[in-house]
Amino acid sequence: MNAAPDPTAPPEGGADQRQALRLLPIAAVIGVLGAIGAVAFLVVVERLQEAAFEHVPDAIGIDGDRWWWAGILLAIGATVVAIAQRLPGRTGSGPLTGFHFDTPLASVPSVLLAALGTLVFGVALGPEAPLIVVGSTIGLLVLRRQGPQAGKAGALLGGAAAIGAIFGNPFITAFMLLEFAAFGVVPAMLIPAILVGLGASYLVQIGIWQIPGVGTHELALPGLPAYDAIGLGDLLVGLAVAVVAAIVAVAVRRLGVGVDHARVRRPVPVLYLAAAVTVVVLLVADVGFGVPLDQILFSGQTGMPGLIAETAAGTVIVILIGKAIAYGMALGSGFRGGPIFPATFLGVGVAVLAALLVSSVSITPLVAAGIAASAAAMIKLPGTSALLGALLVGTVGAAVAPFAILGAIVGLVVRLAADRGAAGNDVAA
């Protein structure tokens, strides 16, 4: 018979746990530095973006909101990324491969140059992946002299602190890292240090005592009506929105994978092909339907309020198709950015379309379901996706939690089914 365990004995892995606890003070330092680095990167992107789309066109006397000017900028961005591909590291891993907290230092210049070429010139990707690179580089530099394992821990802490700067709420990043830990990707013993780093990062954003913060990114979408009573019809339409949003996200990802296969053989031509296809989409959307550029280009964060305010179903369909094509081409063509925010934009678009077609249902819960479904189908993190859907709706949606959860589960199921189907096709081939 086995002896009963001694409750006073240290747990297995106790030494590792003590090392993790010793990381807590340095985690706060890395959190502050990671947030500062992330904010600095975002400011650089925003200023250069304003110069490209506003100041330069004004200076030469042209309209910077026209499709052809955006086409010129997309070509410049593709050129910048092509140059970055010649540097050590060749711009690292793309947005189709998930989030990476282990970018080698030698690869960082090429990754960040490619990210600037992507984000500054309006390519339809988000800033979250480059921010992780900025933060993880800072964390690695802080701890790399303490050994490889400490360097990896520092990179993780810094990357988490940096991405927290774009989500505007530390709990989204915390939930994401908790899911990583549940999947075995992140050591669970580092969760306390991650939370400390996220808290320190958030203090940089909101300020402390008489020291002002650098500001937070507002997640809540404006213009949504209050929603505090769930109806059966709302749930049925919400389910339909979740299914459609997940299918759209999976289709976009499939487009990106196909483009990525072509990119492996001819990386530079595919970059310019993606830019050219996006220009054609802009031409059709702008000239044919009067769709603003920010509904097709960029990550989608600034375009969501305009999308929610749209009253014509036909225009929403054009926006959805245009954004899906631009996003799918960007995912696989060699541009460097994050996949989350464009996916949430598509989820909002599906919700807006459903609300226009079924006017008796409130748009608010549909937006929560659409965001969660599209995000889960793209990144396969259902908990993070559900939280993102609920928080983006904001305080007006006191009863949207079931819709966000429903959307996240539907999105994950659709993505897993699509992955199994793709694997079966590969085996058959």
Side-chain angles (χ1 to χ4, degrees):
M1 178 180 291
N2 295 327
D6 180 1
T8 64
E12 185 177 351
D16 290 340
Q17 291 176 351
R18 288 191 294 271
Q19 290 176 348
L21 291 176
R22 284 196 291 268
L23 275 176
L24 297 183
I26 195 64
V29 175
I30 292 175
V32 169
L33 296 177
I36 293 173
V39 170
F41 180 81
L42 290 173
V43 169
V44 169
V45 169
E46 290 170 1
R47 296 295 179 267
L48 292 176
Q49 203 174 81
E50 289 173 0
F53 284 89
E54 297 176 18
H55 302 324
V56 172
D58 288 345
I60 60 180
I62 64 173
D63 184 358
D65 290 331
R66 300 311 300 268
W67 66 270
W68 56 268
W69 177 251
I72 293 173
L73 295 180
L74 287 169
I76 295 173
T79 302
V80 172
V81 176
I83 293 172
Q85 289 177 343
R86 296 181 175 273
L87 299 177
R90 303 180 64 85
T91 74
S93 302
L96 287 169
T97 61
F99 300 105
H100 301 276
F101 295 82
D102 57 353
T103 302
L105 290 177
S107 303
V108 170
S110 71
V111 173
L112 295 185
L113 180 59
L116 289 175
T118 298
L119 302 176
V120 169
F121 299 102
V123 178
L125 290 173
E128 59 272 18
L131 289 180
I132 290 177
V133 174
V134 171
S136 62
T137 300
I138 292 172
L140 177 59
L141 289 174
V142 170
L143 289 180
R144 68 171 178 164
R145 291 188 178 181
Q146 298 187 23
Q149 291 303 114
K152 290 180 181 179
L156 178 62
L157 294 172
I163 195 174
I166 191 63
F167 285 137
N169 186 313
F171 288 108
I172 293 180
T173 309
F175 216 99
M176 178 185 294
L177 272 297
L178 283 171
E179 287 198 273
F180 286 157
F183 297 147
V185 178
V186 170
M189 66 181 182
L190 288 181
I191 293 301
I194 290 171
L195 291 174
V196 169
L198 286 172
S201 172
Y202 197 56
L203 285 179
V204 172
Q205 298 171 58
I206 64 174
I208 184 172
W209 292 316
Q210 301 301 315
I211 303 174
V214 296
T216 60
H217 282 74
E218 183 62 45
L219 275 182
L221 293 174
L224 294 174
Y227 184 79
D228 54 14
I230 299 175
L232 177 59
D234 299 346
L235 283 172
L236 293 177
V237 178
L239 175 61
V241 166
V243 171
V244 173
I247 291 173
V248 169
V250 167
V252 168
R253 179 178 170 81
R254 188 69 59 85
L255 171 60
V257 170
V259 174
D260 183 60
H261 289 161
R263 179 198 60 82
V264 172
R265 297 188 296 271
R266 306 190 68 182
V268 174
V270 169
L271 264 175
Y272 287 102
L273 174 63
V277 170
T278 304
V279 172
V280 173
V281 170
L282 290 173
L283 169 62
V284 174
D286 181 16
V287 176
F289 299 91
V291 173
L293 294 183
D294 68 350
Q295 299 294 290
I296 307 297
L297 298 179
F298 311 113
S299 67
Q301 289 170 273
T302 59
M304 286 185 193
L307 179 58
I308 290 173
E310 185 58 58
T311 58
T315 302
V316 175
I317 292 174
V318 171
I319 292 172
L320 274 172
I321 295 174
K323 188 72 168 187
I325 294 173
Y327 178 28
M329 296 299 295
L331 278 173
S333 56
F335 289 102
R336 290 295 178 257
I340 294 180
F341 288 108
T344 61
F345 182 93
L346 293 176
V348 171
V350 174
V352 171
L353 180 60
L356 291 173
L357 296 177
V358 187
S359 58
S360 61
V361 176
S362 172
I363 188 176
T364 302
L366 304 186
V367 167
I371 288 173
S374 57
M378 187 60 65
I379 64 175
K380 291 202 296 187
L381 295 174
T384 303
S385 301
L387 186 60
L388 191 62
L391 289 180
L392 273 170
V393 168
T395 57
V396 298
V400 300
F403 293 88
I405 294 170
L406 174 68
I409 298 302
V410 169
L412 179 64
V413 170
V414 171
R415 170 64 187 278
L416 293 177
D419 287 351
R420 285 196 297 270
N425 290 336
D426 291 341
V427 171

